[in-house]
Amino acid sequence: MRNSSFLKRRNQAFASRIKEVWQHRSGVLRHIQQRSILMKIHAFIDAENISQRLFIEGCSRLQEDHELVQIDVFGKVCPKWAAGHNYVRAFVGKNSADTFMTAAIVRAIYEEAEIGGVAIFSHDRDFLPAIKVVTEHKKRVFMVAARQMREEHLKRLAIDLGLIDCIDIDPMGVHLVCHAMLSSKELKKLQAYDMTTCFLKTQSGLLEVPFARGIDMNLFCRLIPLTEIRKGYGKTRKMKDILAESHLCVQQNRVYIDIDRL
């Protein structure tokens, strides 16, 4: 009886162990199958007009349903948030990042047969020819930006809109705070701009703030924390000189990114 009871317990333990191993193996197989189903995406980042928050949020959104197999970052200077990814130094002319990135996108379509599409992180329309090439090869294009291209720009080149996926990132999201209560008139003015973000140098480090190309200087100063930005500067220091240290220039009371100094 003792031997019979012992054998029964041993057989039950053995059967239980086999079941655990099989369940684990099945789980691994399911994971492998799911990974093989996910579309492989090659991401291209225009570091000259993409913020850290947009980069992180965009990658997170893409990885919910796809596999990011490679991330290439293009710019004259490698941003800190791009560390660990493939950085391509674009060093010729003020729009060199766009040129290098366009060439890389086209090359990827011809040389990387395993990818199902590309993700383009940029606010520029300079990548329309590259998008045309991608869609002609029946690959998907994921456009990640704070504002998207209007459909007529894509239709003008007869681009297949069925292969375009737009991922909109709100530039005025919870991580960005306006540092003043804006009047209804100021809010109306703000709505006329294609808002994105930029970085300002402060004593405590870089600060991400709302920005739009050609934004009114007075409105811009209402959006940013002036007290924090002015720390360390004398009271007589002009605001446009302080902004110049963050590669911004003021022309006719409007604020622009000083591309020539990047």
Side-chain angles (χ1 to χ4, degrees):
M1 290 293 290
R2 286 182 180 178
N3 288 340
S4 175
S5 177
F6 171 75
L7 288 173
K8 186 177 179 181
R9 287 198 303 273
R10 189 181 69 177
N11 289 340
Q12 287 175 341
F14 184 65
S16 177
R17 179 59 182 156
I18 289 176
K19 185 178 179 181
E20 287 176 7
V21 171
W22 179 253
Q23 287 175 337
H24 175 71
R25 180 176 178 274
S26 299
V28 170
L29 287 173
R30 278 197 303 272
H31 177 71
I32 292 172
Q33 288 169 350
Q34 288 170 352
R35 294 295 290 178
S36 64
I37 292 170
L38 293 178
M39 184 186 293
K40 290 178 170 57
I41 303 295
H42 188 157
F44 298 85
I45 319 298
D46 182 0
E48 293 184 357
N49 66 26
I50 290 296
S51 70
Q52 178 180 3
R53 191 177 69 83
L54 194 146
F55 170 72
I56 293 172
E57 217 167 303
C59 287
S60 177
R61 294 266 292 274
L62 282 168
Q63 288 173 320
E64 289 175 4
D65 300 303
H66 310 289
E67 181 184 357
L68 279 178
V69 293
Q70 185 168 331
I71 297 174
D72 294 339
V73 181
F74 297 78
K76 291 184 178 68
V77 179
C78 182
K80 290 181 180 179
W81 48 262
H85 301 295
N86 181 41
Y87 168 62
V88 180
R89 183 168 176 261
F91 51 85
V92 182
K94 65 180 183 180
N95 292 322
S96 56
D98 299 350
T99 305
F100 278 64
M101 194 162 138
T102 297
I105 292 169
V106 174
R107 186 168 59 248
I109 292 303
Y110 284 99
E111 296 180 359
E112 301 173 26
E114 73 280 5
I115 65 172
V118 301
I120 299 175
F121 288 62
S122 180
H123 300 308
D124 290 345
R125 291 201 296 268
D126 299 338
F127 301 104
L128 283 170
I131 292 171
K132 175 74 171 172
V133 172
V134 176
T135 55
E136 283 179 345
H137 284 76
K138 303 304 177 185
K139 305 280 188 179
R140 299 202 72 82
V141 177
F142 298 85
M143 294 161 53
V144 185
R147 60 183 186 278
Q148 293 297 344
M149 295 180 197
R150 294 164 67 178
E151 281 191 11
E152 54 259 37
H153 297 309
L154 300 169
K155 288 178 178 177
R156 206 170 291 158
L157 289 178
I159 290 172
D160 184 356
L161 296 181
L163 292 171
I164 305 293
D165 291 281
C166 295
I167 299 177
D168 294 300
I169 308 296
D170 180 11
M172 299 291 287
V174 293
H175 298 291
L176 291 174
V177 179
C178 290
H179 292 264
M181 292 295 293
L182 302 181
S183 67
S184 57
K185 188 177 180 181
E186 288 172 327
L187 286 170
K188 191 174 180 179
K189 276 187 179 180
L190 196 63
Q191 290 171 359
Y193 294 102
D194 289 326
M195 296 302 297
T196 177
T197 63
C198 71
F199 289 93
L200 297 181
K201 290 181 181 178
T202 68
Q203 280 190 332
S204 56
L206 290 177
L207 183 69
E208 188 177 9
V209 298
F211 178 75
R213 184 177 179 274
I215 190 169
D216 178 81
M217 175 67 166
N218 296 326
L219 182 58
F220 183 58
C221 288
R222 291 277 288 158
L223 295 174
I224 62 178
L226 286 176
T227 304
E228 186 174 349
I229 291 166
R230 280 190 168 279
K231 279 181 183 176
Y233 296 101
K235 291 182 180 180
T236 58
R237 189 73 179 271
K238 292 182 179 180
M239 191 61 194
K240 68 176 184 179
D241 295 330
I242 296 174
L243 293 178
E245 296 193 14
S246 298
H247 303 293
L248 296 178
C249 62
V250 181
Q251 299 174 358
Q252 297 181 340
N253 207 41
R254 294 188 176 276
V255 186
Y256 300 88
I257 292 175
D258 191 352
I259 299 175
D260 295 329
R261 290 188 59 198
L262 285 175

